[in-house]
Amino acid sequence: MENRNDFTETDVQNFETELSKIIQEVEANKKKQAILIQENNQLRAESIQLKANEARYTMTLEENFKLKKELETRSSVGLSEKDLAEVMLDAKRVANDIIQKSKDESLKIEQEKQKILTEIKLEGNILKDNILNFKFKINQDIEQWIQNLEQIIDGPKEDIS
């Protein structure tokens, strides 16, 4: 009977160890999730900044167009229409390059975030399977303990009669 109590204490210790590991994994996943949320917020901020830059670019382009029209009507010394057109085209190319680089960077960050999220989901599924397997084992152990107790309880009754 002492062996059964030792067996029970060992199982409890194993259970506590496994539960501790699961809790640590859950905490690690929470930290990863917090990082992803922070990165997601950064992406949102960058997206807002991109939209603001694009709006400023559009406004600047419109202002340049108005200035070009205004310069065309003036007879003062300045850039020729051709030079002004080249400057505006260069400005447009530079702005488009900046926008494209920002979009590429944003896409790269989003893909990295998605990869990490997929890894966390996989780890979560593994944890879920481990918990279910552990629960099944515990249920089996409890059923075995109940059967053993019933046998112990029933045993003396048969000896008495």
Side-chain angles (χ1 to χ4, degrees):
M1 191 131 176
E2 257 180 68
N3 289 341
R4 288 187 182 163
N5 287 339
D6 290 341
F7 179 74
T8 302
E9 290 173 8
T10 302
D11 285 348
V12 169
Q13 289 174 350
N14 289 341
F15 173 75
E16 289 175 348
T17 301
E18 186 67 28
L19 186 59
S20 175
K21 288 179 186 177
I22 290 170
I23 290 170
Q24 288 174 352
E25 290 176 3
V26 167
E27 292 300 324
N29 283 340
K30 284 182 182 179
K31 289 178 183 176
K32 288 179 185 177
Q33 182 183 21
I35 291 169
L36 285 176
I37 288 170
Q38 182 182 7
E39 289 178 355
N40 193 29
N41 290 338
Q42 288 174 345
L43 283 175
R44 283 189 182 129
E46 287 179 17
S47 176
I48 290 169
Q49 185 64 39
L50 282 175
K51 288 177 184 176
N53 287 346
E54 193 171 15
R56 281 197 306 270
Y57 165 74
T58 303
M59 287 175 43
T60 303
L61 197 58
E62 290 172 0
E63 287 175 12
N64 284 343
F65 183 76
K66 288 177 185 176
L67 286 175
K68 177 185 172 196
K69 289 293 182 186
E70 196 175 294
L71 286 174
E72 287 175 353
T73 59
R74 289 185 187 172
S75 61
S76 64
V77 177
L79 294 176
S80 69
E81 185 177 320
K82 182 180 176 184
D83 291 339
L84 188 58
E86 286 179 21
V87 168
M88 288 180 63
L89 284 174
D90 286 343
K92 183 178 180 179
R93 276 189 228 115
V94 168
N96 285 338
D97 288 345
I98 291 170
I99 290 171
Q100 186 59 45
K101 286 178 184 177
S102 297
K103 286 179 180 179
D104 291 345
E105 184 65 24
S106 177
L107 179 63
K108 179 183 171 186
I109 292 171
E110 182 66 30
Q111 288 171 342
E112 289 174 7
K113 182 182 77 168
Q114 190 63 36
K115 179 182 173 187
I116 292 170
L117 185 60
T118 301
E119 290 173 2
I120 287 175
K121 285 180 182 179
L122 288 174
E123 288 177 15
N125 287 336
I126 291 170
L127 277 174
K128 177 183 170 187
D129 291 343
N130 287 345
I131 290 170
L132 290 175
N133 289 337
F134 197 64
K135 180 181 175 184
F136 179 75
K137 171 97 171 75
I138 289 171
N139 286 337
Q140 282 181 331
D141 288 346
I142 289 173
E143 287 177 23
Q144 182 64 43
W145 293 339
I146 290 171
Q147 288 175 0
N148 289 345
L149 286 174
E150 287 175 350
Q151 288 176 355
I152 290 170
I153 292 170
D154 292 341
K157 287 181 185 177
E158 292 176 8
D159 291 338
I160 295 172
S161 35

